[in-house]
Amino acid sequence: MTRVRRFMQVDVFTATPTRGNALAVVLDADGLTDEQMQVFARWTNLAETTFLFPPDNEQADYSLRIFTPVREMPFAGHPTLGSCAAWLRAGGTPKNAGSVIQDCGVGLVEIDLQGEVPAFVAPPTAIDELPPADAKQLAEALGLQAADIVRTAKLNNGPVWQVFQLRSAAAVLAANAAAVNWATHKPIGLIGPHTSNHECDHEVRMLAPSSGMSEDPITGSLNAAIAHWMQSIGELERDLIIAQGTSIDRQGRVYIRRGEAGRVLIGGQSHVLIDGELTL
């Protein structure tokens, strides 16, 4: 049976509303079936749509399910921050002041509210070698020059990423996103440093997303996996600002912050653009 539910649309990881990554959030999602959630996520035609439920875990403030237009995700970054912003806007009160605990497919995820911007604690990342044959095929498809490739890795923090570290942001921006597509190519991450006079430290792109777009505007989970990778090879020596979405006219800004005991936090601003009701 359909009923009226609270609904919000949030723009995440940008200082300028409408220049980030949009997220649809269905609050009070009790009673919806898996099929209803997937069909609605397909209808919104956004990278992700989330559904909030009362928590089953007593440590959590709420439970979250995340859907792209074609499948459910165990974890994603901009849905985590955007859903937290919507939950707080709807009057949610954290059990512990200063942080929100989300329960999702990868378990409990903490969102720290005490920094300059809200930031989630990046979940653990499995770091493996990207098979050389896969790296070669992807590099050729994207038009990457061998001299521009510093290293590669296969990262898994719920989603699985095939990641190339390149010598420069210019090399990242030059990659041909139209040459790869889901599901022939699983998600690809690119990262490269900006010049010292740029406001951001690195440029990131995520290609071949399962949402059906050729490129994801801003990807918190990819940045979280990359941050753990950088930490593992001794390259996360300070807090960083990441630009993403530049090539598709977005102004994404992701803030990577080093926490205590080796924790990595991924932060960004969220803006509620639509706050209303949904009959579903």
Side-chain angles (χ1 to χ4, degrees):
M1 180 181 295
T2 62
R3 67 178 177 86
V4 175
R5 306 170 191 273
R6 187 83 175 266
F7 174 80
M8 297 186 195
Q9 194 155 315
V10 187
D11 200 26
V12 187
F13 283 128
T14 185
T16 307
T18 72
R19 300 297 293 279
N21 201 355
L23 173 74
V25 184
V26 179
L27 297 103
D28 308 317
D30 267 357
L32 292 175
T33 65
D34 291 3
E35 181 181 9
Q36 285 176 307
M37 288 187 281
Q38 184 63 79
V39 168
F40 184 70
R42 188 177 305 123
W43 180 81
T44 68
N45 202 34
L46 296 175
E48 279 98 12
T49 299
T50 62
F51 301 85
L52 274 72
F53 298 86
D56 293 323
N57 188 313
E58 62 181 14
Q59 298 179 59
D61 290 295
Y62 56 82
S63 179
L64 187 73
R65 294 183 68 179
I66 306 165
F67 287 80
T68 76
V70 297
R71 66 188 182 114
E72 184 172 7
M73 298 283 287
F75 171 74
H78 100 276
T80 293
L81 291 182
S83 297
C84 178
W87 182 77
L88 292 169
R89 171 73 167 260
T93 302
K95 293 177 180 177
N96 299 300
S99 69
V100 170
I101 304 297
Q102 168 185 292
D103 190 11
C104 60
V106 295
L108 298 179
V109 176
E110 178 186 351
I111 300 104
D112 177 36
L113 304 178
Q114 301 182 85
E116 290 187 14
V117 296
F120 65 85
V121 177
T125 298
I127 302 169
D128 295 302
E129 178 188 11
L130 180 62
D134 293 350
K136 182 175 184 295
Q137 188 273 326
L138 290 172
E140 290 176 351
L142 292 168
L144 303 179
Q145 301 300 311
D148 285 329
I149 300 173
V150 178
R151 59 177 60 88
T152 64
K154 184 178 180 180
L155 310 177
N156 184 342
N157 61 352
V160 178
W161 313 101
Q162 304 169 101
V163 182
F164 290 77
Q165 181 184 6
L166 303 182
R167 293 194 182 280
S168 68
V172 169
L173 292 170
N176 180 15
V180 291
N181 61 81
W182 177 272
T184 303
H185 303 92
K186 302 305 182 187
I188 302 160
L190 307 175
I191 180 170
H194 276 288
T195 56
S196 58
N197 61 346
H198 198 279
E199 65 171 302
C200 297
D201 298 292
H202 296 269
E203 187 77 30
V204 163
R205 294 175 73 186
M206 196 280 257
L207 311 180
S210 63
S211 61
M213 298 182 293
S214 63
E215 180 166 349
D216 193 49
I218 307 103
T219 320
S221 48
L222 170 60
N223 280 281
I226 288 174
H228 273 303
W229 182 34
M230 295 176 71
Q231 184 183 59
S232 75
I233 59 177
E235 291 192 355
L236 190 62
E237 299 178 345
R238 59 185 176 85
D239 296 350
L240 299 173
I241 303 175
I242 306 296
Q244 192 178 348
T246 305
S247 59
I248 54 173
D249 197 30
R250 304 295 178 95
Q251 292 180 352
R253 296 294 183 268
V254 179
Y255 297 85
I256 296 177
R257 193 171 90 229
R258 298 179 303 164
E260 297 178 354
R263 300 199 312 172
V264 175
L265 291 92
I266 308 299
Q269 298 182 51
S270 295
H271 309 271
V272 176
L273 272 66
I274 299 171
D275 184 351
E277 294 180 338
L278 164 72
T279 301
L280 186 64

